[in-house]
Amino acid sequence: MAYFDKGDGRVGALSEQVRAAIASNVRHARHSRGLSIRDLADRSGFSKALLSQIERGLANPTVEVLAGLAEALDLSFADITRTPLYEPQVMRRAGDDAARTLLSSLDRRRFELYETPLPPEHAHESAPHGRGSEEFAYVLSGSVTLEVATYEVRLEAGDAVRFSAEAEHGYRTGGEPARLLTLVSMPSD
């Protein structure tokens, strides 16, 4: 896979993915603040044409432009460049002799924490939690299968997972009950 333009006009998939994420993040932040492109141009000092190209994923903004947009929108650089989670991050149970960090996030976010008892042969469905949302789950007891449209992950007691919560998802138990701790993390804007 090519990661940069080699002069023939083709840009690799990774570059396109990052530009699409920047476009979506800038557009979402601008809209959520009730700003027009002109308003953002006035705040940031960048031209309306450049901002329009960025929001359509056509521009290749410099680090200075991204930092300026982040400042104008009161976001961090990470917020501007954040790409969604496409695959779950799974942390399997380790030894019981020490504390361990299961999952972490450096973003400024708001969150909701749930402890959920799940009976045997039960499917717990959840609606999408919104753009940029992530869910962190830790199996306290029993086992569950995380189901998202594009994948399934079986988790045992002591396992943890982090995944994008932008789509419908759910947890299914087998013949035994389970207890699940979940944290839903959403952008602060």
Side-chain angles (χ1 to χ4, degrees):
M1 171 188 313
Y3 292 105
F4 52 89
D5 186 337
K6 293 188 174 187
D8 61 3
R10 291 181 303 133
V11 178
L14 181 60
S15 295
E16 290 175 18
Q17 183 181 20
V18 170
R19 270 203 314 275
I22 290 167
S24 177
N25 294 336
V26 170
R27 187 173 46 255
H28 174 75
R30 181 176 63 78
H31 284 265
S32 70
R33 287 159 179 72
L35 299 173
S36 67
I37 292 234
R38 177 182 298 263
D39 295 333
L40 184 54
D42 291 343
R43 275 184 165 195
S44 67
F46 302 119
S47 72
K48 292 184 300 185
L50 175 61
L51 296 175
S52 176
Q53 288 179 337
I54 289 170
E55 286 193 8
R56 290 181 290 141
L58 301 175
N60 213 4
T62 64
V63 171
E64 289 80 11
V65 170
L66 293 174
L69 285 174
E71 186 175 332
L73 291 166
D74 193 31
L75 297 173
S76 70
F77 187 83
D79 292 332
I80 289 282
T81 58
R82 177 185 66 233
T83 55
L85 282 170
Y86 292 106
E87 298 289 329
Q89 295 175 342
V90 178
M91 172 71 84
R92 298 291 178 194
R93 181 182 178 123
D96 294 329
D97 57 348
R100 64 184 174 134
T101 300
L102 294 173
L103 303 161
S104 65
S105 176
L106 300 175
D107 300 337
R108 291 180 290 163
R109 304 170 73 80
R110 56 190 171 91
F111 67 91
E112 297 170 353
L113 181 65
Y114 303 91
E115 183 177 2
T116 308
L118 301 169
E121 304 296 334
H122 178 76
H124 176 82
E125 302 296 324
S126 184
H129 296 298
R131 189 188 158 286
S133 63
E134 295 178 349
E135 189 160 321
F136 300 74
Y138 180 75
V139 182
L140 295 167
S141 64
S143 63
V144 299
T145 299
L146 166 65
E147 298 175 330
V148 183
T150 56
Y151 57 84
E152 288 187 2
V153 178
R154 177 129 173 108
L155 302 165
E156 304 290 333
D159 290 346
V161 64
R162 173 186 179 195
F163 62 96
S164 171
E166 293 183 15
E168 290 182 9
H169 55 282
Y171 299 94
R172 181 176 34 86
T173 58
E176 300 294 323
R179 195 163 204 80
L180 189 64
L181 188 63
T182 56
L183 183 136
V184 178
S185 173
M186 298 151 283
S188 59
D189 59 353

